């Protein structure tokens, strides 16, 4: 499947090829519980994510170990993806940012990030 996504204002857009998304993952860590986003169940390799950023809009937030990178658009505040703690440099994508995929129609798994 070819997936295409963006933040709300379009300053950050991206695409990737991956298996069809048939479920989503939520995480209960201190940052994810505040965002509430539904993420892809698999990670995307950095070389597989084609990213386009305008106006230097992509910002990163790190905390704790500093390994996970939580990206957001500084124009519209939307969180399109993060780089995971568990697999360095690999991305999980916010399903709500993808065209043609309804995050509300997918079964949800909860990842216990709070216990890491
Ligand atoms: Zn934006």
């Amino acid at each position: 499947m070819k997936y295409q996504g963006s933040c709300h204002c379009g300053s950050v857009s991206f695409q990737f090829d991956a298996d069809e998304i048939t479920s989503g993952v939520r995480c209960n860590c201190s940052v994810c519980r505040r965002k509430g986003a539904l993420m892809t169940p698999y990670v995307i390799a950095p070389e597989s994510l084609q990213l386009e950023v305008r106006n230097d809009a992509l910002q990163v937030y790190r905390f704790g170990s500093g390994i996970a990178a939580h990206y957001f658009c500084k124009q519209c505040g939307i969180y399109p993806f993060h780089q995971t703690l568990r697999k360095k440099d690999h991305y999980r994508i916010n399903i709500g940012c993808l065209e043609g995929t309804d995050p509300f129609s997918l079964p949800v798994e909860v990842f216990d990030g709070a216990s890491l």
Side-chain angles (χ1 to χ4, degrees), residues 7 9 73 76:
C7 66
C9 73
C73 170
C76 66

Side-chain angles (χ1 to χ4, degrees), residues 29-51:
C29 85
S30 59
V31 68
C32 292
R33 67 192 288 266
R34 286 168 166 80
K35 290 175 179 170
L38 189 67
M39 307 304 288
T40 53
Y42 47 70
V43 294
I44 308 289
E47 60 273 18
S48 302
L49 187 72
Q50 293 154 265
L51 184 59

Side-chain angles (χ1 to χ4, degrees), residues 6-13 54 57-58 72-80:
S6 66
C7 66
H8 193 262
C9 73
S11 294
V12 179
S13 58
R54 284 184 280 154
L58 194 62
F72 61 97
C73 170
K74 73 176 181 191
Q75 301 290 332
C76 66
I78 296 300
Y79 150 62

Side-chain angles (χ1 to χ4, degrees), residues 55-71:
N55 306 318
D56 197 27
L58 194 62
Q59 302 287 298
V60 65
Y61 175 65
R62 294 174 195 270
F63 70 100
S65 69
I67 296 168
H70 300 269
Y71 290 97

